[in-house]
Amino acid sequence: MPITRGAGRLPRTVWWLVLARAVNRLGAFSIGFLTVLITSDFGVGVVAAGAISAAFGLATIPSRLLGGVLADRFGRRRTIVAGLAGCALAQAGIAVSGSVAMVAVFAVLLGLVFEIYEPPSQAMIADAVRPAQQAQAFSLFNTALAVGGMGAGLIAAGLGRWDLRWLFVADAVSCLICAAVIRLVLPADPPPAARPAGGQAAGRGSAWRDRRLLALLLSGTLFAVIFMQVGMAMPLALVRRGLEAADAGLLSAVSAVVMVLCQPLLRWTAGLSHHAAMTSGYLLLATGLAGYAAADGLPGHLAATVVWSAGDVLMFGRSYALVVDIAPRDARGRYLSVFGTCWGFATVLAPLCGTQLLERAGPGGLWGGLALACLLLAAAQLTVIRPLLRRQGSAQDSCAIVGVGPQ
């Protein structure tokens, strides 16, 4: 398909979802202060506070899976609104909690509803755009997260100096605003009779049995672990090199700006296959991380940030577009939710891997090792994942021709 046809204007639905996600992210700054709130307001030790935060993190994994199931069974918009309302309730509960036990209960509740928003939002985007626009739409959706994060830091800096509980109140308000926007401006869910026939039977339980999806989940988890190191390990790595830990915030802001400025790159590369674009993105990521390994001062880190951020723009949306390509239309929510658990797994793995690499090999070894992992992902994309997706897809097409459904 020619680039000019594939990269037309995105539907209004996508832009509303992007705006709503930015608003929601603007308020989602309180989670990082949960441990601080527990230790400062209740005098609980750091270990116990960390355990509560870990419980929140673990609860987000089934939360995303629940979001996918609800999106396919009850509708996209209903699920988004319900998830955001649940987040507002849990955040408000944390703000008014009078004991550690209450904070723990609401923290786990927050985790269980925290990711419900994601799968139906992604499925709604997939439903609204043409296949050639999916990579651009998903990348823009991700960019909204980065841009909202910039503003979130400023709000946290202001409210956090006043009273940490107000952070959770502000987050609850942002969730309600986001839910109202979704409810008022996005198209209503179709009635059950208008949804694809056989959706329950075709999609139920099939996502975890799809080898193609599992291969994408594995590579996505490795990428998520790599990506999260930039946020988690960067402050420590900067200190090891004699720089200020706060410089990590500057690098994060530069990354968000690059993601916005590089959006036209998606139109120029619309003619590339998903696999070719992802391979190119992994190579840019590897180059940027290698730049971190070689950099001594802040200018070198800034230049490396520009390179890897461009790579992230190029490949991030394509990974979700690949998931949509292999998912039955009536099971898109579940497929996207299963793939999205890679971020939950990475939340557990990333701190362990990053601290170990930093301790044993220093900043150069950390970033160099991650650059090597990106090269492995680039090679796997072309030599393992692409053939697997083509082979499995051909087998399922053959089954459909003879009237036998995929097993």
Side-chain angles (χ1 to χ4, degrees), residues 14 46 71 135 152 155 177 197 209-210 247 258 288 295 298 307 381 388 400:
V14 174
V46 174
I155 295 176
I177 293 174
R209 296 198 300 267
D210 193 325
D247 289 337
V258 172
L298 186 58
V307 175
Q381 191 70 39
L388 175 64

Side-chain angles (χ1 to χ4, degrees), residues 208-301:
W208 289 104
R209 296 198 300 267
D210 193 325
R211 294 181 180 179
R212 300 168 300 170
L213 180 60
L214 295 181
L216 293 175
L217 175 60
L218 180 60
S219 64
T221 299
L222 179 54
F223 164 74
V225 170
I226 295 170
F227 182 86
M228 293 182 73
Q229 297 306 326
V230 179
M232 291 183 171
M234 179 61 76
L236 294 174
L238 290 174
V239 171
R240 289 285 187 96
R241 285 181 161 166
L243 301 174
E244 294 291 334
D247 289 337
L250 174 61
L251 298 179
S252 177
V254 169
S255 177
V257 172
V258 172
M259 288 182 182
V260 173
L261 295 179
C262 283
Q263 289 302 307
L265 181 65
L266 298 174
R267 294 194 175 193
W268 302 335
T269 59
L272 294 176
S273 70
H274 293 326
H275 300 287
M278 289 186 68
T279 300
S280 301
Y282 284 135
L283 293 177
L284 284 174
L285 285 167
T287 303
L289 293 171
Y292 282 152
D296 289 328
L298 186 58
H301 284 82

Side-chain angles (χ1 to χ4, degrees), residues 45 48 52 62 85-86 98 125 133 139 175 215 223 236 242 326 341 346 390 394:
I52 294 175
I125 287 176
Q133 294 177 305
S139 180
C175 287
F223 164 74
L236 294 174
I326 67 173
T341 59
R390 287 179 175 177
S394 298

Side-chain angles (χ1 to χ4, degrees), residues 223 266 277-282 285 310-320:
F223 164 74
L266 298 174
M278 289 186 68
T279 300
S280 301
Y282 284 135
L285 285 167
D312 180 60
V313 169
L314 189 60
M315 61 80 54
F316 189 91
R318 300 281 189 155
S319 62
Y320 284 91

